[in-house]
Amino acid sequence: MNPPLIVVLNGPNLNLLGTRQPEIYGAATLDDVEALCAETAEQLGLAIDFRQTNGEGELITWVQECRGRAAGIIINPAGYSHTSIALMDALKATDLPIVEVHISNIHRREEFRHLSYVSKAATGVIAGLGIGGYALALQAIADLVAEEGEP
Ligand code: CA2
């Protein structure tokens, strides 16, 4: 049987990871995050499709395409977390387990980062644990997918 597919989506400006603001986001690049996800997924018996886009519409299209294709979604919506009701609606429409990841602790930062519309669609949220949050999200989603498969 094919391993369950987890789609790992990254929003705007995350392609700049490792180039600026290391005091907030650390020194790792998005390629490092992808390598961590690939290694963790293999250990957990999951397949991943890892993507980044700067476009809100593209992110929403990718979420819609998860329906009937993916077993779960991990998403770092970046700045769209705090603005996009359309992204929240698309995530809710998937009926899939969703783990939202933030590298930084958005609740310790500016007030405008405290609200995430995506959190209202997410099964769970991980924030403030650096890029290790992606590995934790994969572990969590492996459990959620296994639970869904139970009779
Ligand atoms: O902590 C996170 O993962 C965030 O989702 C990152 C977003 C931010 O808007 C959210 O409030 C929290 C920013 C992603 C852009 O990251 C950069 C990294 C290095 C240089 C420039 C941007």
Side-chain angles (χ1 to χ4, degrees), residues 17-18 20-28 102-106 108-110 113 128-131:
L17 268 185
R20 288 180 56 238
Q21 297 185 282
E23 67 288 358
I24 300 176
Y25 300 116
H102 295 283
I103 296 167
S104 65
N105 181 349
I106 55 175
R108 286 183 69 164
R109 299 184 63 194
E110 305 95 322
R113 294 187 203 274
L129 298 175
I131 69 163

Side-chain angles (χ1 to χ4, degrees), residues 6-81:
I6 307 302
V7 175
V8 185
L9 297 175
N10 294 279
N13 299 308
L14 284 164
N15 53 312
L16 300 176
L17 268 185
T19 65
R20 288 180 56 238
Q21 297 185 282
E23 67 288 358
I24 300 176
Y25 300 116
T29 65
L30 196 61
D31 282 349
D32 296 330
V33 179
E34 181 168 8
L36 172 66
C37 287
E39 186 186 321
T40 309
E42 195 182 344
Q43 287 164 3
L44 293 166
L46 301 170
I48 59 161
D49 178 1
F50 187 97
R51 300 179 185 200
Q52 186 273 333
T53 179
N54 291 325
E56 183 177 7
E58 189 166 41
L59 196 54
I60 289 167
T61 298
W62 288 349
V63 168
Q64 290 182 3
E65 287 171 358
C66 287
R67 299 168 70 197
R69 171 174 180 255
I73 300 174
I74 293 172
I75 184 164
N76 182 345
Y80 294 139
S81 318

Side-chain angles (χ1 to χ4, degrees), residues 62-126:
W62 288 349
V63 168
Q64 290 182 3
E65 287 171 358
C66 287
R67 299 168 70 197
R69 171 174 180 255
I73 300 174
I74 293 172
I75 184 164
N76 182 345
Y80 294 139
S81 318
H82 318 299
T83 61
S84 183
I85 292 169
L87 179 59
M88 174 190 74
D89 287 342
L91 287 162
K92 280 187 177 169
T94 63
D95 281 327
L96 290 169
I98 297 164
V99 180
E100 177 184 1
V101 176
H102 295 283
I103 296 167
S104 65
N105 181 349
I106 55 175
H107 302 287
R108 286 183 69 164
R109 299 184 63 194
E110 305 95 322
E111 189 89 27
F112 62 82
R113 294 187 203 274
H114 296 179
L115 171 69
S116 166
Y117 289 105
V118 167
S119 296
K120 298 179 188 297
T123 314
V125 182
I126 296 169

